[in-house]
Amino acid sequence: MQELDQIFNKLWQQYTNESPEALKIYNLFKARGEEDIVNDHVAFRTFDDPRVNVDKLGAFFEALGYHACGEYEFKVKKLFAKHYEHKSDPTMPKVFISQLKTKEFSPFLQEHAQACVDKITEAKLASPDLLYSGIHWELDYEVYQKLLAESEYAAWMYVFGFRANHFTVFINYLKTFNSVEEVNQFLKDNQLTLNVAGGEIKGTPVELLEQSSTMANKVPVKFKQGTFDVLNSYYEFARRYPDQSGNLYQGFIAASADKIFESTNVGLR
Ligand code: NI
C-alpha cells in the first residue's frame, strides 16, 4: 500500500499547489475540528493514444491492487471513461480515468495530441510517475486557443497534462454534514462558486449518487508568447446511497459526470 499512498500523496501535493482553492476548501473542512477527509475518487484526463490511454494509466493502478469496474461513454464531449476500485480497501479512492476520442476531432487536434505524446520519454511512459508528470511540451497560446474552440477537454489536457484533474470529498464520511445541500451551503457561505450546469446537485438518491463541484479557478500559465490566465481545476463532493444489496453504490452516472466535466468550461465561469 506504501507505493499507492505515495502516488496519491504526490497527486494531492501537485493538485493543491496548482489549485490553491482546493487546499483552501480542504482546510475549511479540517478547521471544523472533527473532519478526516476521505476521497471518493480521483479523476484523470488523457488522450486515446495507446501510449497514454485509459488502459495504460489504469494499468498503473491495477498493478497496485485496483481493478477495472464501470465503463462510460460521453457522446457529445467525445470521451470514453473507466472507473477502477481497490480490491480490498473501500476507503482507498476510486480512480476515474477518461480519454478524449481524438479521431473524432480535426486533423489539427489529432496532430497536436500526438505531438504532445511524442515528447514523453520511453522511461516516463513506463513509470507510474507519468501520472503526475504534468506537461512534456512547450505551450503555444495560439494552439491552446484553437484546441479550446474544439474541445475544452483537449485544451485542458494540452495545458496541464498528466495530473489529477480533481479530487472528490466523500460526503458519507463527513461527520458534521448530512447532505450535499449542507456541503453546498457551507461552500457558498465561504464565497466559493458552485458549478450550476444541470443544477447545483447532479444525480438523485434514486440514482444512488449525488455530486456537486466548485467551478475551476484561473491560474497564470506560461506560454511561449507570455503568461496567460487559464482555468485549471475544481473540487468535487459526492454522496453515495446503498443499493439493493445494502452496499454503497460505487459506480458513476454518465449524465451527472457529463455536467461535472463542465466545471472547467470557460463560458460558464
Ligand atoms: Ni469526479
Side-chain angles (χ1 to χ4, degrees):
M1 205 70 100
Q2 208 180 357
E3 191 181 354
L4 199 52
D5 285 337
Q6 274 175 7
I7 289 175
F8 284 121
N9 282 340
K10 285 188 179 157
L11 287 162
W12 174 253
Q13 290 302 331
Q14 179 187 37
Y15 172 66
T16 50
N17 279 341
E18 295 180 10
S19 313
E21 190 177 273
L23 185 60
K24 181 186 155 189
I25 296 169
Y26 177 86
N27 287 333
L28 284 170
F29 281 107
K30 293 295 277 185
R32 292 164 72 86
E34 297 173 54
E35 299 296 4
D36 274 325
I37 310 296
V38 173
N39 290 305
D40 177 74
H41 64 272
V42 180
F44 297 86
R45 294 179 174 188
T46 191
F47 296 124
D48 59 357
D49 187 307
R51 293 171 290 177
V52 297
N53 66 8
V54 167
D55 289 340
K56 179 73 198 305
L57 300 189
F60 292 128
F61 289 98
E62 286 173 328
L64 295 169
Y66 276 75
H67 63 138
C69 294
E71 298 193 357
Y72 311 89
E73 288 281 349
F74 302 91
K75 288 222 160 57
V76 176
K77 294 185 176 65
K78 301 171 184 168
L79 305 173
F80 168 74
K82 278 190 190 182
H83 96 261
Y84 296 77
E85 295 175 21
H86 196 271
K87 284 181 192 164
S88 59
D89 185 349
T91 66
M92 289 305 289
K94 290 171 280 297
V95 169
F96 185 93
I97 313 175
S98 57
Q99 67 186 29
L100 190 69
K101 296 196 264 184
T102 57
K103 288 166 202 70
E104 298 182 20
F105 288 90
S106 72
F108 176 87
L109 185 149
Q110 292 182 47
E111 278 160 27
H112 280 276
Q114 192 184 335
C116 285
V117 180
D118 286 347
K119 295 276 187 195
I120 311 172
T121 64
E122 290 290 331
K124 195 59 92 180
L125 287 169
S127 160
D129 293 354
L130 176 66
L131 294 166
Y132 41 82
S133 62
I135 55 167
H136 304 253
W137 46 87
E138 191 190 22
L139 292 175
D140 181 320
Y141 195 62
E142 286 173 24
V143 172
Y144 167 72
Q145 285 183 307
K146 277 185 92 167
L147 292 174
L148 190 59
E150 274 196 73
S151 161
E152 298 263 356
Y153 184 109
W156 188 94
M157 191 60 206
Y158 175 68
V159 170
F160 298 107
F162 299 92
R163 47 163 283 178
N165 174 266
H166 61 270
F167 277 68
T168 307
V169 175
F170 204 160
I171 293 175
N172 299 56
Y173 285 91
L174 293 175
K175 298 182 186 79
T176 61
F177 295 92
N178 294 309
S179 66
V180 185
E181 286 88 346
E182 285 177 21
V183 169
N184 285 351
Q185 191 57 51
F186 176 67
L187 297 170
K188 287 188 281 187
D189 290 346
N190 284 287
Q191 285 74 52
L192 292 151
T193 308
L194 296 176
N195 170 0
V196 296
E200 279 182 5
I201 300 177
K202 285 67 156 153
T204 63
V206 172
E207 291 170 292
L208 308 180
L209 172 62
E210 292 178 304
Q211 292 164 275
S212 70
S213 66
T214 58
M215 285 303 284
N217 263 44
K218 283 192 168 170
V219 294
V221 172
K222 256 192 197 163
F223 293 83
K224 73 176 191 194
Q225 296 90 340
T227 300
F228 297 90
D229 282 347
V230 172
L231 282 175
N232 96 350
S233 240
Y234 53 91
Y235 209 177
E236 193 183 312
F237 311 88
R239 182 181 183 196
R240 295 180 178 276
Y241 292 84
D243 60 20
Q244 284 181 335
S245 66
N247 297 316
L248 280 190
Y249 173 68
Q250 296 296 334
F252 292 83
I253 310 293
S256 299
D258 191 67
K259 295 298 177 198
I260 294 274
F261 276 119
E262 292 177 15
S263 305
T264 51
N265 271 21
V266 174
L268 287 173
R269 183 77 192 178

